[in-house]
Amino acid sequence: EFRRVLFRSFLFLACFNSFRYWETRNRFCLVRALVFLTISSMLRFQTGVCIGAILILLLLKKDIKGGMLVLVSTLLLFVLSGLFESVLTGRFHGSLKDYVSYNLNHSSSYGTTPFYTFFLLLFALTLPPTLVAHYQKFEWKKKYFKLIPILLFVGVFVLAHSVVPHKEERFMI
């Protein structure tokens, strides 16, 4: 249980720092987001897909210097995390390789659902707040535009997990 709380905390910190970058354009926030995302993905490999949200943020901001910083930081953090695992297990990202291999070969042998399962669940969960947007003089686009980083983290995570045949509702939580 402690491991679950820990990886969620680091994932939250990555999302929060991405949000801070979105608001302030402070590139150091990107580096912090990547550090926290790396730690989170070392605890739970699936969270690593959220780097896609950071890349989309960079594209939306058209931040080439930030993109270069993210590229260099990502490569450095990948090597450092692989070396850390190498010290512990004797294999450079061996756990990640085993995880990917196992899921490619066996994920469809567990309970499978259609690719749209998570999208339907997410739609059902967001339907009530969406109805609020129909009130006149409620400028929801202006008020919620700053939440794009959070929506991207959720969207990238849901999209990545929708591609895998094995789905459980607990993955959405």
Side-chain angles (χ1 to χ4, degrees):
E1 185 61 32
F2 177 72
R3 187 175 171 202
R4 285 184 184 162
V5 170
L6 200 57
F7 93 79
R8 287 181 188 138
S9 301
F10 286 115
L11 183 60
F12 169 77
L13 288 169
C15 186
F16 175 75
N17 277 283
S18 297
F19 171 76
R20 294 295 301 146
Y21 165 74
W22 181 254
E23 282 194 325
T24 65
R25 210 174 170 108
N26 180 346
R27 292 186 183 110
F28 188 66
C29 292
L30 288 173
V31 175
R32 282 195 308 255
L34 289 169
V35 168
F36 291 129
L37 189 58
T38 300
I39 296 169
S40 175
S41 64
M42 289 174 71
L43 297 167
R44 194 75 162 183
F45 299 120
Q46 300 94 315
T47 60
V49 299
C50 290
I51 193 166
I54 295 172
L55 297 175
I56 293 170
L57 286 177
L58 286 165
L59 287 172
L60 291 173
K61 286 286 187 182
K62 299 176 184 165
D63 187 0
I64 295 171
K65 288 182 183 177
M68 291 297 148
L69 180 64
V70 164
L71 178 65
V72 170
S73 299
T74 301
L75 292 173
L76 179 65
L77 289 166
F78 182 78
V79 169
L80 288 175
S81 61
L83 290 174
F84 179 73
E85 184 176 349
S86 185
V87 168
L88 294 177
T89 66
R91 297 171 51 209
F92 184 82
H93 284 299
S95 300
L96 177 61
K97 292 174 190 170
D98 292 345
Y99 172 80
V100 170
S101 174
Y102 181 83
N103 277 299
L104 286 174
N105 295 314
H106 300 288
S107 69
S108 60
S109 61
Y110 297 105
T112 60
T113 57
F115 75 92
Y116 53 82
T117 300
F118 287 160
F119 294 109
L120 288 176
L121 182 60
L122 195 59
F123 176 75
L125 291 173
T126 59
L127 192 57
T130 305
L131 296 175
V132 172
H134 291 289
Y135 289 116
Q136 292 181 351
K137 297 184 182 179
F138 181 65
E139 298 173 345
W140 65 275
K141 287 182 183 177
K142 188 189 304 181
K143 298 246 186 230
Y144 295 111
F145 183 72
K146 65 183 179 180
L147 297 178
I148 283 182
I150 293 129
L151 296 173
L152 285 174
F153 264 70
V154 171
V156 166
F157 194 81
V158 169
L159 181 64
H161 281 73
S162 295
V163 174
V164 177
H166 175 63
K167 295 174 200 55
E168 296 177 32
E169 287 75 17
R170 68 184 177 94
F171 293 165
M172 286 291 288
I173 296 168

